[in-house]
Amino acid sequence: MLFQPLSMRGVALRNRIVVSPMCQYSSADGFASDWHLVHLGSRAVGGAGLVFTEATAVEARGRISPQDLGIWQDAHIDMLRRITTFIHEQGSVAGIQLAHAGRKASTARPWDGNAALTPDQGGWRPLLAPSAIPFDASAPIPEAMTADQIREVTDAFVQAARRALDAGFKVAEIHAAHGYLLHEFLSPLSNTRTDLYGGSFENRTRLVRDVVAAVRQVWPESLPLFVRISATDWVAGDAWDLEQSIQLARLLKADGVDLIDCSSGGTSPTAKVPVGPGYQTAFAERIRRETGILTGAVGMITSPEQAETILATGQADVVSMAREFLRDPYWPLHAAPRLHTKPAPPPPYGRAF
Ligand code: FNR
Ligand code: 531
């Protein structure tokens, strides 16, 4: 099944293999560079069905690090269009993950230590969040967003979607996972608001549903829209969990979302996450079976046989890989013979496979 095509609305993926979004921390002022062209382009050459950009900031203050990719200004579109054109020339599909880091914004990139950056270190203030609750003891205290700021951020997602369309992307994924802004509204661990955006499930899911509805308005009917969620906070008690994720997925399906990309974690710095091969596939399975929406499985998927089993047992409709694709951009070309399928290299490489 891994090499079977998948059609969603007017877009046909050549296979079920997705390059998961991966921060490259390689932009200046949000601009894509030759690094992004080669990084993403080579994975399209390698045979992936869908290649996602990293989390791409919808506004400058929504970056995780100063070096994040962005699409908050029209000037970002040109180089992004060069990348989508190349990806599509390879028979792959270009996707973009639209993101806002919320209270986890303004941090140094991993090889610079990951720490929060003050304004004189290249960071910025304020950090936006549902409530004035820092991610951990060493993180800055964010500002609880006003109604105006909620409107601003929602519009930033819409404008970003317009730019993404102009840049040639065929799939947009809204990042509502990993403890970033939209996930922060979902989880009672980070959202203690008492207005229309806090408290009940309906209120905590309001922002992600408003963003999805607003983006769906400008994202063409013919193009798929994904949402990445953290299916659970991995925290007992009053936190975000799988039952709520199933409920949210059902609502998002009705709101015009085509696929739920099922990750987990990111809200609590102390949560014990039982990481292991395919440790999140059960979330994709439960959501897929109980709501009928397409799902993506991600997390420690590395072998062709493992990926095939996930699809063949109905746990998900696509498999996403991040680290394995860093180790091997040509993973699909190497996986095909392992699953008794002919690899489809680009013509110039034909004699090597
Ligand atoms: C990530 N991950 C990630 N997730 C996301 O939703 N947006 C992103 O921009 C990033 N950035 C990122 C950078 C790097 C270097 C890594 C390793 C990971 C998470 C990633 O997409 C994936 O969900 C996890 O890495 C688990 O999948 P793997 O790596 O086990 O295949
Ligand atoms: C890794 C991560 C995975 C799952 C839960 C929390 C964190 N992160 C996520 C990335 C940035 C770098 C690594 C994003 O989602 C942007």
Side-chain angles (χ1 to χ4, degrees):
M1 287 184 67
L2 195 63
F3 288 94
Q4 274 178 356
L6 175 66
S7 284
M8 295 170 285
R9 297 177 187 255
V11 171
L13 305 185
R14 62 180 161 183
N15 59 45
R16 309 303 182 93
I17 304 165
V18 179
V19 177
S20 198
M22 286 183 275
C23 296
Q24 296 301 298
Y25 310 100
S26 298
S27 295
D29 196 24
F31 286 86
S33 67
D34 286 350
W35 173 261
H36 302 88
L37 174 65
V38 174
H39 166 68
L40 297 169
S42 52
R43 285 156 183 80
V45 166
L50 171 56
V51 178
F52 269 113
T53 67
E54 63 202 89
T56 306
V58 299
E59 55 175 22
R61 64 186 169 183
R63 287 173 291 177
I64 300 163
S65 80
Q67 295 80 17
D68 280 25
L69 186 65
I71 193 164
W72 70 78
Q73 53 178 310
D74 290 351
H76 290 144
I77 295 170
D78 269 359
M79 187 58 187
L80 290 171
R81 188 183 294 115
R82 218 179 127 200
I83 293 169
T84 63
T85 302
F86 182 83
I87 290 172
H88 294 144
E89 282 167 352
Q90 302 312 311
S92 186
V93 169
I96 183 168
Q97 186 185 56
L98 301 175
H100 195 298
R103 70 179 185 178
K104 294 174 93 170
S106 183
T107 58
R109 51 193 177 179
W111 58 91
D112 293 336
N114 269 327
L117 294 170
T118 59
D120 56 19
Q121 293 170 318
W124 53 90
R125 294 295 182 277
L127 306 188
L128 299 185
S131 303
I133 304 171
F135 171 65
D136 63 18
S138 68
I141 298 175
E143 279 185 11
M145 290 166 76
T146 63
D148 275 349
Q149 287 173 323
I150 288 176
R151 265 189 295 278
E152 275 167 34
V153 167
T154 303
D155 189 54
F157 272 95
V158 171
Q159 297 316 317
R162 282 185 203 282
R163 295 187 192 100
L165 184 63
D166 192 357
F169 289 99
K170 299 274 180 265
V171 177
E173 174 170 277
I174 289 166
H175 196 340
H178 301 168
Y180 299 112
L181 187 67
L182 298 179
H183 183 187
E184 291 161 19
F185 272 82
L186 294 175
S187 176
L189 296 175
S190 39
N191 177 356
T192 55
R193 297 177 77 96
T194 55
D195 66 359
L196 266 181
Y197 292 91
S200 67
F201 169 85
E202 186 189 0
N203 283 358
R204 288 181 282 108
T205 58
R206 189 178 307 280
L207 182 56
V208 70
R209 294 188 67 197
D210 284 355
V211 167
V212 162
V215 165
R216 191 74 261 184
Q217 287 276 324
V218 298
W219 196 246
E221 282 292 306
S222 62
L223 298 183
L225 179 62
F226 294 8
V227 175
R228 172 165 276 195
I229 64 168
S230 282
T232 179
D233 285 336
W234 296 109
V235 172
D238 192 19
W240 184 257
D241 61 17
L242 181 56
E243 292 314 315
Q244 293 174 81
S245 292
I246 293 168
Q247 251 186 286
L248 175 60
R250 200 171 281 122
L251 295 169
L252 291 177
K253 182 169 186 270
D255 294 342
V257 170
D258 300 285
L259 184 144
I260 301 291
D261 182 1
C262 303
S263 187
S264 74
T267 300
S268 158
T270 55
K272 294 281 166 288
V273 181
V275 174
Y279 68 106
Q280 299 171 137
T281 62
F283 304 137
E285 180 173 24
R286 281 281 312 277
I287 289 171
R288 185 174 187 271
R289 291 193 193 291
E290 298 191 25
T291 71
I293 196 166
L294 297 175
T295 62
V298 66
M300 302 285 282
I301 300 171
T302 54
S303 88
E305 295 78 9
Q306 177 194 9
E308 180 67 19
T309 301
I310 290 165
L311 301 178
T313 57
Q315 297 178 62
D317 300 278
V318 298
V319 293
S320 288
M321 291 174 288
R323 285 164 291 188
E324 188 60 21
F325 257 119
L326 295 183
R327 290 190 282 266
D328 178 9
Y330 295 176
W331 191 93
L333 293 176
H334 298 141
R338 291 266 291 275
L339 299 174
H340 321 296
T341 306
K342 210 167 139 22
Y349 294 5
R351 293 174 57 196
F353 290 86

